[in-house]
Structure formats: structure tokens, C-alpha cells
Amino acid sequence: MTQAEIKLCSLLLQEHFGEIVEKIGVHLIRTGSQPLRVIAHDTGTSLDQVKKALCVLIQHNLVMYQVHKRGVVEYEAQCSRVLRMLRYPRYIYTAKTLYSDTGELIVEELLLNGKMTMSAVVKKVADRLTETMEDGKTMDYAEVSNTFVRLADTHFVQRCPWVPATENSDPGPPPPAPILVISEKDMYLVPKLSLIGKGKRRRSSDEDAAGEPKAKRPKHSTDNKEPIPDDGIYWQANLDRFHQHFRDQAIVSAVANRMDQTSSEIVRTMLRMSEITTPSAAPFTQPLSSNEIFRSLPVGYNISKQVLDQYLTLLADDPLEFVGKSGDSGGGMYVINLHKALGSLATATLESVVQERFGSRCARIFRLVLQKKHLEQKQVEDFAMIPAKEAKDMLYKMLSGNFISLQEIPKTPDHAPSRTFYLYTVNILSAARMLLHRCYKSIANLIERRQFETKENKRLLEKSQRVEAIIASMQATGAEEAQLQEIEEMITAPERQQLETLKRNVNKLDASEIQVDETIFLLESYIESTMKRQ
């Protein structure tokens, strides 16, 4: 756990949950698993506040607990899960792209609340969608429920582990903490709910309908509440499935850039066919026959079986080896080599960073060392056709930046420099880890800069919000244009310009965060895939 990761976790926890939760979360990240009273003592926080903070962290899957043999419950932070909060906007946007506004709001609610029952999600989303609709239109619960089922079918949402029902015959004392279990076949099993109703607006005409204020009317609904049909069945967003989708999109995009749109569409079809059958950590997709791929191509994609076979052969013969041939049955069996694809994407990212940081000639040397595996300095000069002095300078720059490494091969046991080969090589895994660490530092700096910009202009932002609230309330009461103009003039021209500059800067910082996170995702996926193969 590096200092850059701890700092980034601290900033994310503070931004999402506040100071107390951040204090407890960072303490657990630094110290590892600890029992409740030790956490309270070490952080100097009251037991009640620690309990509430842990509840929030457990609700959002940021802390796990386990019972030890002595009966002590220890809590452990999930640092990788905290860092996933960076990607929340991307998860939500993906759901919107695949399942429209309804899917977007379902995933957003699950991410905001950590865990929710299906009925609660459906009602909340229906209400939110109804508020954005024109007067007289409402969102049906059934429509939202159908989108939720589709998300579960494609594994974008999954059930949370639950406490199994135990028989009352057990006379022993209850365990110090519940043991949560779930079987794989139940993970995406949607309960059969008959949710009948429509979304409600927050500013509903309660007073108009009843003729009296809401507070004065008797509460009928709370006395005879019906039991919730899916009580105890909680759902959460399946982040691994989103990561699988991001990885697939990156592979499709890489194939489109290297070859053409038709090749990328064939690869996309293969990945879509393997979505549910291939585990997210698998190095290869399941083998698919040429005939199956042909039948699964999108409707209206007019290519013949012969052309498809030619494309598949081209993809299989490509040096990058994104697609591999695993057999000849069914017109030829093909797989996508996910590990090699991630390796190629990570290498391309490293090459791009070297080019941007050190220039095109350094990038040429980097690619050369990458291709030849091991080279002496004289060989680098000759192959790259760069003068000795410049080549030496560039090699040392990349060596000091940990993009390339130096390997010593002594001829004699005394390691005398005159009798030792010095070979330059690229350790992609090591370089990827170094770049990942720098990406974490960059994101932390971007977040701090955004917070600083917002803090510096806090008074102006508050004034702008007050003016907007006044204008909105006056528009609702039917105020004249002249009155609205007068309120708008409360913010002077220089202040408007300052607000525009702030908005532009914050947007740039947000966009930069998302771009850096895309690099983080590729590097993390490659490192994870490599570690599982070792």
C-alpha cells in the first residue's frame, strides 16, 4: 500500500462521506484489520461514532469483517474498493449508454446507497423519472422493474450475501457477527415481484386534493403497511462486470484502430457472445466456431461467410495475437487472448508516455529495446541510428525514470566492469507499476486542485446559488421579466466572468480525472492479469 494510494483513498472518503468516516477508513487502511475498541482508542473517536462510520463503510462494501477463533470481530478496509469510487461516473454513464436513463438511475441509486432492495430501487427511480417528465405523465413501476431484470440478466447488478435462516432448535448463543453466504446460482436471481403503481412527484398536489395541509391530515398509510415482498434481498452494482465491459470496449477500439471497422465488429460480436460464459479473470474467452460467430453478427451487417472467414484468418495471423485459432471444427474455432490484448494495451500506453515525456527519438529506442528484448548500448546506437552521445543520454533518462532497466551479465565471478555485459531491457510489469503509482499521485493532485478552486470561490458560488433559487421561486409564482432581470443583475459582470472561469477550470480537472482513470484501469487490468498467470 503506497503513500499515493493512501492519500487518494483519504481524499475520496472525505469527499464522499466526510471527516469521521475518512478518519476511520484511513486508519484501517494504514494498520490492517483491527477490532472495534482498538479502532476507537487509536483514533481517539467515541465508540458510537466509530460504529456509525463502520456501518457506512460496510454498507458501501469498503470494509469487511471477520470473526476470529477467540470470538473477536475484526474490521479490514478494502483499499481497492475505495479507489473504485473514482470510476462511479463511468459506471453510471455506461449504464445510461446500454440501458437508457432508467438503467442510469438504477445504477446511480445502488452506488449512492451501497445496497438496496429491488422494490426500493424501482420506486425511487420511478419517482425521479416522473419528476423530470411533463405534467400529467408518470413512469410505470413495471417499466423500471423490467430494466432492473435486464441489468441482473447481464450481471451488471447482483445480490448481496445474506444471513442464512437457522432453525430455532439451536440452544447455543448467537455468533458475535453474522456469517453472510450466497451461492453462485442465486447471485442474479431476481425475485418475482408484482410492483403495481406509478412514480410520484415530490411536489404533489397533496394540499389541493385534500383541501388542507399535509401535516393536519390523519396518516392512514403508516398504520396498515403491507410487508415488503423482497425484504432482506439486497442488491449491489457488480463492478467486476463493468470492468469486463470497459476491457472489451478497449480491445474493440484497439482492433478498429489497427485494422478496420468490420474487424472490430467481429471482435465485438465474439466478446458479446462470451460475456456471461467467460469469467472476468480468464486469460482467454470460450472457443467460438466460425458458424456461431456468423449467426451472431448484428442484423443488417452484410458480410458473407467467406468474407468473415478471411477476416478471422487475418485477425488470427496478426502479430498482436488478439484473436487466436484453437481448432478446426465448426468452420474453425477462435478465441480472444484477453491477457495478450491487455499486455498490448499496457505496452502502447507506456510507449505513449515515453513519447510525450522524452520525445519521439526516445520512443524509438524504447520500442527497439522492447522488440529486441536485450540490447547493449552500442547495439542501441547502431539499430536506432542515433549518435552515441545522444543515445547514451536518452537511455539514462529512461533508466532514471524506471521505464527501462539494466541487467548485468558478468563473465567472471568478480563482476569486473571490463568483463561484464550491460544489457538494456524493458520490464513491462515493473514499468506499469511505476506508471500506475504516478497516476494515483496525479489523480490526488487533480482532486486537491479542484477542492482548492472551489474553496477559493466559495462565497461567489453561494451567492450564485442563492440568486438561482430566488429566480426559480419567482418564476414558479409567475413574476414579470423585469423583476427577474433585476434579480439577475445582483451578480455583476466581473463575477459572472469569474464564475465562467471557475466552471471551465473545474470541467477541465474533471475531464482530466476521467482520462487518468482510463489509464489506471488499463494498467491495473494488465497487472492483475499478469499476477494471476504467474
Side-chain angles (χ1 to χ4, degrees):
M1 192 75 231
T2 62
Q3 285 300 316
E5 285 174 282
I6 293 170
K7 185 182 178 183
L8 182 52
C9 286
S10 170
L11 287 166
L12 289 167
L13 286 170
Q14 188 169 13
E15 196 169 40
H16 284 78
F17 304 112
E19 288 182 10
I20 295 172
V21 174
E22 179 259 338
K23 189 178 182 181
I24 303 302
V26 170
H27 174 73
L28 286 173
I29 288 168
R30 287 184 189 278
T31 58
S33 57
Q34 283 197 330
L36 178 65
R37 293 193 179 277
V38 175
I39 298 168
H41 177 267
D42 290 355
T43 56
T45 313
S46 71
L47 211 58
D48 187 47
Q49 284 185 325
V50 173
K51 284 178 183 177
K52 286 176 181 173
L54 286 172
C55 281
V56 170
L57 291 165
I58 290 168
Q59 172 75 9
H60 288 266
N61 298 314
L62 305 177
V63 162
M64 305 293 282
Y65 61 84
Q66 56 182 352
V67 184
H68 283 268
K69 290 176 183 176
R70 293 180 180 178
V72 179
V73 180
E74 289 197 343
Y75 299 88
E76 186 178 359
Q78 303 291 301
C79 179
S80 60
R81 193 66 172 68
V82 176
L83 293 171
R84 293 296 81 82
M85 289 196 285
L86 273 174
R87 223 161 277 158
Y88 279 10
R90 204 172 164 197
Y91 299 141
I92 293 165
Y93 180 71
T94 301
K96 182 184 176 74
T97 310
L98 297 173
Y99 299 99
S100 73
D101 293 347
T102 313
E104 174 195 10
L105 292 183
I106 288 170
V107 171
E108 187 180 336
E109 284 298 328
L110 288 172
L111 290 173
L112 284 173
N113 295 284
K115 302 178 180 80
M116 288 180 84
T117 61
M118 180 182 167
S119 54
V121 173
V122 168
K123 286 171 185 173
K124 190 91 179 279
V125 169
D127 291 348
R128 284 182 65 183
L129 286 167
T130 301
E131 281 182 22
T132 60
M133 289 177 164
E134 297 172 13
D135 287 339
K137 290 187 178 179
T138 53
M139 174 55 73
D140 209 335
Y141 285 171
E143 199 174 325
V144 181
S145 186
N146 289 340
T147 306
F148 193 99
V149 171
R150 284 164 63 205
L151 280 162
D153 287 344
T154 48
H155 297 187
F156 282 104
V157 297
Q158 63 182 20
R159 278 194 190 191
C160 302
W162 54 290
V163 183
T166 54
E167 294 179 8
N168 296 331
S169 57
D170 187 11
I179 297 165
L180 305 177
V181 293
I182 189 163
S183 61
E184 202 168 332
K185 64 182 176 62
D186 293 336
M187 268 180 132
Y188 309 102
L189 190 65
V190 182
K192 290 179 181 175
L193 303 176
S194 53
L195 294 169
I196 301 163
K198 294 179 183 294
K200 299 179 181 68
R201 296 178 192 273
R202 239 185 299 182
R203 296 184 298 277
S204 58
S205 52
D206 290 323
E207 293 186 22
D208 301 339
E212 57 184 355
K214 191 177 178 183
K216 289 185 181 178
R217 277 183 278 118
K219 295 179 181 178
H220 298 295
S221 56
T222 51
D223 298 334
N224 48 8
K225 267 192 176 179
E226 292 181 13
I228 301 166
D230 61 342
D231 192 24
I233 302 172
Y234 287 89
W235 292 82
Q236 61 188 357
N238 183 4
L239 303 190
D240 287 341
R241 178 66 185 84
F242 279 100
H243 292 168
Q244 191 181 335
H245 179 77
F246 298 156
R247 180 203 65 199
D248 292 353
Q249 291 294 99
I251 291 170
V252 169
S253 178
V255 171
N257 290 337
R258 185 167 174 82
M259 298 182 81
D260 65 355
Q261 200 62 41
T262 307
S263 303
S264 70
E265 198 57 52
I266 291 165
V267 171
R268 189 198 302 276
T269 303
M270 291 173 72
L271 287 166
R272 196 166 55 241
M273 291 166 73
S274 310
E275 273 178 347
I276 308 300
T277 56
T278 304
S280 57
F284 297 92
T285 58
Q286 294 294 325
L288 298 166
S289 71
S290 171
N291 296 329
E292 285 178 309
I293 297 166
F294 182 69
R295 285 196 298 271
S296 300
L297 280 170
V299 179
Y301 214 79
N302 298 319
I303 63 167
S304 64
K305 176 71 169 61
Q306 187 182 359
V307 173
L308 173 68
D309 287 339
Q310 288 172 348
Y311 266 107
L312 286 168
T313 306
L314 271 172
L315 285 163
D317 292 342
D318 189 73
L320 288 182
E321 298 178 33
F322 276 27
V323 176
K325 193 168 184 181
S326 64
D328 295 312
S329 57
M333 300 294 286
Y334 295 90
V335 297
I336 291 177
N337 191 333
L338 301 171
H339 175 69
K340 281 226 168 147
L342 288 171
S344 298
L345 292 168
T347 307
T349 303
L350 286 167
E351 284 179 20
S352 173
V353 171
V354 168
Q355 179 149 345
E356 292 298 319
R357 191 166 174 197
F358 303 112
S360 57
R361 300 181 95 186
C362 271
R364 192 199 308 171
I365 291 174
F366 183 81
R367 280 193 288 270
L368 182 67
V369 176
L370 202 61
Q371 186 184 1
K372 301 287 186 184
K373 307 294 184 199
H374 294 89
L375 285 175
E376 286 188 272
Q377 189 169 306
K378 183 72 173 71
Q379 291 174 307
V380 171
E381 295 160 13
D382 294 343
F383 284 134
M385 293 183 288
I386 293 173
K389 190 180 176 185
E390 286 182 36
K392 187 189 289 184
D393 186 43
M394 289 172 185
L395 281 166
Y396 289 169
K397 270 184 188 174
M398 288 190 283
L399 190 64
S400 62
N402 293 324
F403 286 97
I404 61 173
S405 51
L406 194 61
Q407 190 173 344
E408 296 180 12
I409 302 176
K411 293 181 192 174
T412 54
D414 61 353
H415 283 260
S418 59
R419 293 185 294 276
T420 302
F421 292 113
Y422 293 95
L423 302 177
Y424 289 98
T425 184
V426 176
N427 185 338
I428 296 176
L429 185 62
S430 173
R433 281 188 173 133
M434 175 275 299
L435 188 57
L436 181 62
H437 176 72
R438 288 188 181 174
C439 286
Y440 286 140
K441 285 177 81 171
S442 300
I443 289 257
N445 291 341
L446 287 166
I447 291 172
E448 284 187 325
R449 182 69 203 180
R450 175 161 49 77
Q451 289 176 349
F452 172 77
E453 290 276 349
T454 312
K455 191 178 177 182
E456 284 288 293
N457 297 278
K458 189 179 177 184
R459 185 197 60 79
L460 188 58
L461 284 168
E462 286 174 354
K463 183 180 177 182
S464 170
Q465 286 168 357
R466 281 199 305 272
V467 169
E468 283 174 11
I470 293 166
I471 290 170
S473 63
M474 288 178 74
Q475 282 175 337
T477 54
E480 294 177 8
E481 192 64 38
Q483 290 174 305
L484 295 174
Q485 188 72 32
E486 193 179 331
I487 298 296
E488 280 179 9
E489 285 170 2
M490 286 170 68
I491 297 177
T492 61
E495 284 178 332
R496 282 193 190 284
Q497 194 173 353
Q498 197 177 339
L499 279 169
E500 281 298 315
T501 307
L502 172 66
K503 188 178 176 183
R504 193 164 56 249
N505 289 345
V506 169
N507 284 346
K508 272 185 189 176
L509 291 166
D510 284 342
S512 301
E513 272 182 55
I514 291 165
Q515 285 175 341
V516 175
D517 182 59
E518 285 177 14
T519 306
I520 286 174
F521 172 72
L522 280 178
L523 295 171
E524 279 182 344
S525 301
Y526 167 69
I527 291 166
E528 189 182 341
S529 175
T530 307
M531 295 310 292
K532 279 178 180 169
R533 282 175 66 86
Q534 287 178 354

